[in-house]
Amino acid sequence: MAVASAAPGSIFCKQLLFSLLVLILLCDACQKISLRVPSHLQAETLVGKVNLEECLRSASLILSSDPTFRILEDGSIYTTHDLILSSERKSFSIFLSDHQRQEQKTIEVILSARENKVPKKRHAKDTALKRSKRRWGPIPCSLMENSLGPFPQHIQQIQSDTAQNYTIFYSISGPGVDKEPYNLFYIERDTGDIFCTRSIDREQYQQFALYGYATTADGYAPEYPLPLIIKIEDDNDNAPYFENKLTVFTIPENCRTGTSVGQVTAIDLDEPDTLHTRLKYKILQQIPDHPKHFSIHPDTGVITTTTPLLDREKCDTYQLIMEVRDMGGQPFGLFNTGTITISLEDENDNPPSFTETSYVTEVEENRIDVEILRMKVQDQDLANTPHSRAVYTILQGNENGNFKISTDPNTNEGVLCVVKPLNYEVNRQVILQVGVVNEAQFSKASNSQTPTMCTTTVTVKIKDRDEGPECHPPVKVIQSEDGFPAGQELLGYKALDPETRSGEGLRYRKLGDEDNWFEINEHTGDLRTVKVLDRESKFVKNDQYNISVVAVDAVGRSCTGTLVVYLTDKNDHPPQINKEVTICQNNEDFAVLAPVDPDWPENGPPFQFRLVNSASKNWVIEEKDGKTAILRQRQNLDYNSYVVPIEIKDRHGLLATHMLSVRVCDCSVSSECNLPAKNLRDVRPNVILGRWAILAMVLGSVLLLCILFTCFCVTAKRTVKKCFPEDIAQQNLIVSNTEGPGEEVTEANIRLPMQTANICDTSMSVGTVGGQGIKTQQSFEMVKGGYTLDSNKGGGHQTLESVKGVGQGDAGRYTYTDWQSFTQPRLGEESIRGHTG
């Protein structure tokens, strides 16, 4: 199958249309130029290009002798309509003219038609119907978009080599035929001519891929389907347009020359990478138009600044009317316009300045937290931004801190206030120097210098007023000695009337006196002690006792001051120690004593330690560094509690005797000691029996043995029962602690009369003698030196009669149990007194 050439007026393939040979003869450039072109040329087809500048550099007029051809300024030659070269050669002339130089040139252009190849035909004798083994590479065909017809418009013809011998029918399929868009193409069944029925928009369909078929009358296909590519040639029918109709760029004011503002972009729907989509940008107008601040790159669309004089305070917004044109910016190219808005960002290039060069104001003395002046400033920078918000500073005149200045956030004014009282008597006016800057740091413009701070002068006049008493200084310190007696006078707090500078007419009273040490003189403010001053009192802090005093004038105005009584130390407190210590013999056999002296250090250590009375028999004390001592046992004592008297002196000899309670325990740490808190040794530790106590105990034992022996003898002579108490074995030891010398108990002192009747008392039985079951009761009495036993305790006199009670038959006789109940507790008391001694 072959593809035949189209009839005159049809569109040839793209390959043929653009495979042009341009011959430029430099030596004869202004005389003759030859171009080889296809015999069929479509309208607006580039034929070739000539170098016009080599003939005439500045041609103001370019004309063609043949209206079939159009000449551009760059020398490009285009056809104005479809052209078929009927002969092998066609010529025309290009006329160039320069009106200024009065020059004219002529260039002759000769077009030579390229020969068409004739397809090879099969030999006539090859009559057999067989499928062709040769495959054609189909030539892409093109169709101009937006063609005006007439329609149907012939495109091309397809033919099969087998049509020489047999009847062949042709058909096509694909988009534009039996697919969307339907019925755009059709083919004549017998001839193979393909036609287009209407115009096509390239922006909608760039090309069509069809298939051509050749079949015999009986439906046999001698050829393979032939691919047909129909490309839609672009027509410059779409003007470029900006992506955004209104574009806004922002740049800082005072920026450098050449600063990039932004880039504009446009879109052209025509075929890319062709002259139809080669865009050029330019600025048509700037608003305001003077001076010119911006330029644009024609190819990239990048806008840059051309001057450093962009000042927001003069103009904060610029508008640029932009144009974009295709065809490389040629006058016949399609174009569109858009608006670009450029906003200038504010920079802090204008310092604030006061509206007045000086200010005068006044305020009453002693007033505080009062506004006395407002100062305005002007700033050309953008309002309500750090570039225009003011920061005020008092540069001079506020050395005492009487004033404070701040910024009102709503009005940007400087507000001057008095924060510390002013005194008319000291200073009647104050002159302040106030400066102002912006919150943001000043931005130095390329055409300006760094400004100095704007300052102004404020004169503050102080108004006098009648004031109350003045307590100055607020705290006054007086000195007194520790132990200062009651009823003594001390200098008190003195206030003054600032107008008269005297304290006449003022009345004083106390506001605070924690322990009520003083009373105050209402007229003079002097103090009188009502208690002895004690530096060690809990109300004294750091040797100081505070009294608050208020002074009131005749009209009730007052001031308050504090009087501090500084107490010097007196050595009136001996050293003190902890009253209880514990010695754990499993860990350490000593206790550390650390006395504390409430007096000052010069009345305290070094301390002297000494054991009192007989404590040194069992204990040893060792001084360490003058502040502590170690208490040791001479030998290991029983686990118990002991009272050790210790005498401690300070460096000046003031002493105190302390009864130290020492617990000796079988423990490792003191917290493990579980010794009972109270027992006999807790009350009287280290009890040692005296010789008289031992003698009394011995005499009591001998006496008891004599009694028992006498009872035994009497019982042995009688055949009656001996009625002794059953627990006599446990009660036959009588302890005596009598300190005075006792008398020997003899047989003459003890009378033991015997009774033969009613002598048995079953309540007092001591067992049987000689296996007999008879119990006897024996009564006896003890006479000591001719008087009865008594005990003087607490100054009273007590006898056996008072113990036994009234009702005895014989006052001179007592039973054994009566005697025992009387003597036993008294012997114990005497023993305790003997140990203590």
Side-chain angles (χ1 to χ4, degrees):
M1 185 182 293
V3 180
S5 299
S10 64
I11 302 173
F12 283 88
C13 305
K14 181 178 180 180
Q15 181 178 357
L16 293 176
L17 292 176
F18 291 97
S19 61
L20 302 176
L21 175 61
V22 180
L23 298 176
I24 302 177
L25 302 177
L26 298 177
C27 60
D28 194 19
C30 292
Q31 295 180 1
K32 184 184 295 184
I33 294 176
S34 297
L35 301 175
R36 294 180 64 87
V37 297
S39 59
H40 291 206
L41 295 175
Q42 191 179 5
E44 296 295 334
T45 299
L46 177 65
V47 177
K49 187 175 183 180
V50 296
N51 192 345
L52 302 180
E53 292 185 355
E54 292 191 2
C55 291
L56 188 63
R57 288 187 175 278
S58 57
S60 59
L61 180 63
I62 303 173
L63 295 176
S64 173
S65 62
D66 189 345
T68 306
F69 301 97
R70 176 167 55 89
I71 314 301
L72 301 184
E73 293 179 355
D74 62 351
S76 298
I77 304 173
Y78 284 87
T79 58
T80 58
H81 55 79
D82 293 347
L83 175 65
I84 298 177
L85 299 179
S86 57
S87 61
E88 292 184 358
R89 304 181 70 177
K90 181 178 179 64
S91 64
F92 66 95
S93 300
I94 301 174
F95 299 100
L96 305 176
S97 176
D98 187 349
H99 295 295
Q100 293 182 354
R101 297 183 180 181
Q102 300 295 322
E103 293 184 17
Q104 293 182 353
K105 296 286 184 178
T106 301
I107 301 175
E108 184 180 359
V109 180
I110 299 174
L111 302 180
S112 301
R114 183 182 298 176
E115 296 181 357
N116 293 328
K117 294 182 179 180
V118 179
K120 293 178 66 176
K121 297 184 180 180
R122 294 181 182 275
H123 199 273
K125 67 178 183 179
D126 192 9
T127 58
L129 181 61
K130 61 181 180 180
R131 190 181 299 276
S132 175
K133 295 182 181 179
R134 176 174 51 84
R135 292 295 299 164
W136 277 72
I139 300 174
C141 298
S142 62
L143 181 63
M144 192 68 183
E145 73 167 326
N146 302 324
S147 175
L148 299 178
F151 296 104
Q153 182 179 358
H154 184 267
I155 300 176
Q156 67 178 17
Q157 183 184 30
I158 60 173
Q159 288 184 346
S160 174
D161 295 339
T162 60
Q164 298 177 5
N165 299 318
Y166 297 96
T167 301
I168 298 297
F169 299 105
Y170 300 97
S171 62
I172 57 175
S173 66
V177 181
D178 53 358
K179 295 180 182 179
E180 287 285 348
Y182 295 104
N183 303 321
L184 181 60
F185 304 104
Y186 72 91
I187 189 170
E188 288 187 351
R189 179 182 178 187
D190 298 325
T191 62
D193 290 321
I194 302 175
F195 295 90
C196 178
T197 61
R198 58 185 182 271
S199 63
I200 302 172
D201 185 5
R202 190 206 66 85
E203 285 70 44
Q204 187 175 6
Y205 302 103
Q206 283 77 35
Q207 68 178 17
F208 294 91
L210 306 180
Y211 285 93
Y213 306 95
T215 58
T216 61
D218 56 359
Y220 182 76
E223 300 280 0
Y224 288 107
L226 178 65
L228 299 173
I229 304 299
I230 301 177
K231 181 174 177 60
I232 308 302
E233 294 294 335
D234 183 45
D235 182 23
N236 190 21
D237 59 342
N238 291 279
Y241 62 92
F242 290 102
E243 287 186 281
N244 299 312
K245 286 295 182 181
L246 183 61
T247 304
V248 178
F249 294 118
T250 303
I251 59 171
E253 64 173 330
N254 304 316
C255 60
R256 298 174 181 270
T257 301
T259 301
S260 177
V261 177
Q263 183 179 19
V264 294
T265 56
I267 298 175
D268 195 324
L269 298 178
D270 291 323
E271 186 173 2
D273 302 324
T274 64
L275 193 61
H276 298 162
T277 55
R278 188 179 301 168
L279 307 181
K280 295 290 183 179
Y281 301 91
K282 69 177 180 179
I283 299 175
L284 298 179
Q285 184 182 5
Q286 173 187 299
I287 304 173
D289 59 349
H290 186 76
K292 301 296 184 182
H293 293 297
F294 306 98
S295 65
I296 188 170
H297 192 284
D299 296 323
T300 62
V302 175
I303 302 172
T304 56
T305 60
T306 60
T307 175
L309 302 177
L310 289 170
D311 190 354
R312 190 203 66 84
E313 286 72 39
K314 294 180 179 179
C315 180
D316 60 352
T317 303
Y318 291 88
Q319 285 188 334
L320 302 180
I321 307 300
M322 309 292 300
E323 179 193 88
V324 57
R325 187 181 292 265
D326 61 12
M327 299 299 291
Q330 294 294 331
F332 53 83
L334 302 179
F335 67 92
N336 218 325
T337 60
T339 302
I340 304 298
T341 300
I342 301 176
S343 297
L344 300 185
E345 291 181 341
D346 184 46
E347 293 288 327
N348 188 22
D349 56 344
N350 294 279
S353 60
F354 289 100
T355 58
E356 303 288 340
T357 57
S358 63
Y359 298 87
V360 178
T361 185
E362 61 182 15
V363 63
E364 286 186 350
E365 65 173 333
N366 297 323
R367 294 198 62 186
I368 60 172
D369 297 329
V370 58
E371 177 185 321
I372 61 173
L373 180 65
R374 281 180 172 261
M375 294 172 285
K376 293 184 178 181
V377 295
Q378 54 186 7
D379 196 323
Q380 297 179 3
D381 291 320
L382 189 61
N384 298 321
T385 65
H387 300 157
S388 62
R389 284 196 287 266
V391 178
Y392 299 88
T393 306
I394 301 176
L395 302 176
Q396 293 180 3
N398 193 33
E399 288 75 12
N400 296 328
N402 298 98
F403 302 93
K404 181 185 73 173
I405 192 167
S406 59
T407 303
D408 188 327
N410 298 321
T411 63
N412 207 33
E413 295 175 322
V415 182
L416 183 64
C417 299
V418 177
V419 295
K420 189 176 178 181
L422 296 166
N423 194 336
Y424 175 83
E425 287 73 26
V426 176
N427 202 351
R428 300 192 177 187
Q429 79 172 18
V430 178
I431 298 177
L432 304 176
Q433 186 182 24
V434 180
V436 62
V437 294
N438 291 127
E439 288 184 1
Q441 187 176 2
F442 185 80
S443 175
K444 182 180 178 181
S446 59
N447 58 344
S448 64
Q449 297 181 353
T450 303
T452 58
M453 177 186 292
C454 181
T455 61
T456 188
T457 301
V458 180
T459 301
V460 181
K461 296 182 178 181
I462 304 170
K463 298 168 61 178
D464 186 28
R465 72 169 185 175
D466 189 14
E467 303 171 87
E470 185 178 86
C471 293
H472 186 78
V475 178
K476 181 179 179 181
V477 180
I478 63 173
Q479 184 170 316
S480 180
E481 186 182 23
D482 183 20
F484 193 70
Q488 301 297 317
E489 294 284 344
L490 286 175
L491 182 64
Y493 193 90
K494 303 296 183 182
L496 295 177
D497 188 336
E499 307 295 334
T500 62
R501 308 308 298 173
S502 70
E504 186 178 355
L506 299 181
R507 297 291 183 268
Y508 298 89
R509 57 186 174 86
K510 290 191 306 179
L511 284 182
D513 182 4
E514 288 186 288
D515 201 22
N516 196 28
W517 281 10
F518 302 95
E519 60 183 18
I520 191 168
N521 188 310
E522 181 182 7
H523 300 284
T524 63
D526 292 334
L527 300 178
R528 182 182 180 85
T529 58
V530 295
K531 291 183 178 180
V532 176
L533 305 189
D534 184 9
R535 192 189 69 86
E536 287 75 25
S537 171
K538 65 179 181 179
F539 301 100
V540 175
K541 309 298 182 185
N542 298 324
D543 303 327
Q544 297 176 358
Y545 183 81
N546 297 337
I547 306 103
S548 297
V549 179
V550 60
V552 184
D553 62 9
V555 295
R557 292 171 297 192
S558 63
C559 69
T560 302
T562 300
L563 188 64
V564 177
V565 180
Y566 184 79
L567 296 173
T568 59
D569 186 40
K570 181 180 179 181
N571 191 19
D572 56 350
H573 292 84
Q576 304 293 324
I577 60 171
N578 190 359
K579 299 299 183 181
E580 293 184 0
V581 295
T582 301
I583 296 178
C584 291
Q585 291 193 354
N586 293 340
N587 185 14
E588 295 177 342
D589 61 346
F590 62 87
V592 178
L593 308 181
V596 176
D597 195 327
D599 295 322
W600 280 356
E602 54 265 24
N603 294 326
F607 302 120
Q608 298 179 11
F609 301 84
R610 189 175 70 86
L611 294 172
V612 181
N613 298 333
S614 58
S616 58
K617 295 180 180 180
N618 294 328
W619 304 93
V620 177
I621 193 164
E622 303 173 2
E623 296 184 7
K624 296 297 291 182
D625 52 1
K627 296 182 180 180
T628 59
I630 293 178
L631 180 65
R632 298 181 184 274
Q633 310 170 73
R634 287 190 180 275
Q635 65 276 346
N636 288 339
L637 302 177
D638 295 337
Y639 298 143
N640 212 326
S641 293
Y642 301 88
V643 175
V644 181
I646 299 178
E647 182 180 274
I648 306 176
K649 294 181 182 180
D650 61 17
R651 65 167 61 190
H652 297 297
L654 184 62
L655 63 85
T657 301
H658 303 279
M659 303 303 292
L660 181 65
S661 176
V662 183
R663 297 192 302 173
V664 180
C665 286
D666 181 15
C667 59
S668 298
V669 293
S670 59
S671 60
E672 297 177 357
C673 183
N674 297 322
L675 200 64
K678 296 294 182 179
N679 55 27
L680 182 60
R681 296 199 180 204
D682 290 334
V683 181
R684 294 290 186 268
N686 301 332
V687 177
I688 302 174
L689 294 178
R691 61 181 182 274
W692 297 109
I694 296 174
L695 179 60
M697 293 176 63
V698 173
L699 292 177
S701 299
V702 172
L703 178 61
L704 181 58
L705 290 175
C706 292
I707 295 172
L708 293 176
F709 179 75
T710 303
C711 292
F712 176 76
C713 292
V714 173
T715 305
K717 292 180 180 181
R718 291 174 174 245
T719 57
V720 295
K721 295 185 292 181
K722 310 297 183 184
C723 297
F724 287 96
E726 295 180 359
D727 58 348
I728 192 170
Q730 300 177 5
Q731 300 182 10
N732 58 359
L733 180 60
I734 300 174
V735 182
S736 174
N737 290 333
T738 304
E739 296 184 4
E743 296 181 7
E744 183 177 1
V745 180
T746 61
E747 194 70 29
N749 298 106
I750 302 176
R751 295 188 302 233
L752 296 174
M754 297 298 182
Q755 295 181 2
T756 59
N758 300 325
I759 62 173
C760 256
D761 187 356
T762 58
S763 63
M764 306 258 321
S765 59
V766 297
T768 59
V769 179
Q772 298 179 7
I774 301 173
K775 298 181 181 180
T776 62
Q777 178 179 354
Q778 297 181 3
S779 299
F780 62 91
E781 67 176 351
M782 185 183 73
V783 180
K784 185 177 181 181
Y787 57 89
T788 59
L789 288 175
D790 61 78
S791 176
N792 294 326
K793 185 177 181 181
H797 182 74
Q798 190 176 15
T799 63
L800 279 175
E801 288 83 2
S802 62
V803 174
K804 182 179 179 182
V806 182
Q808 291 284 348
D810 188 354
R813 295 183 178 271
Y814 304 95
T815 64
Y816 170 80
T817 56
D818 294 335
W819 178 83
Q820 184 182 18
S821 62
F822 177 81
T823 58
Q824 188 68 21
R826 286 154 180 79
L827 289 175
E829 292 176 1
E830 291 298 323
S831 175
I832 292 175
R833 283 195 291 268
H835 293 336
T836 302

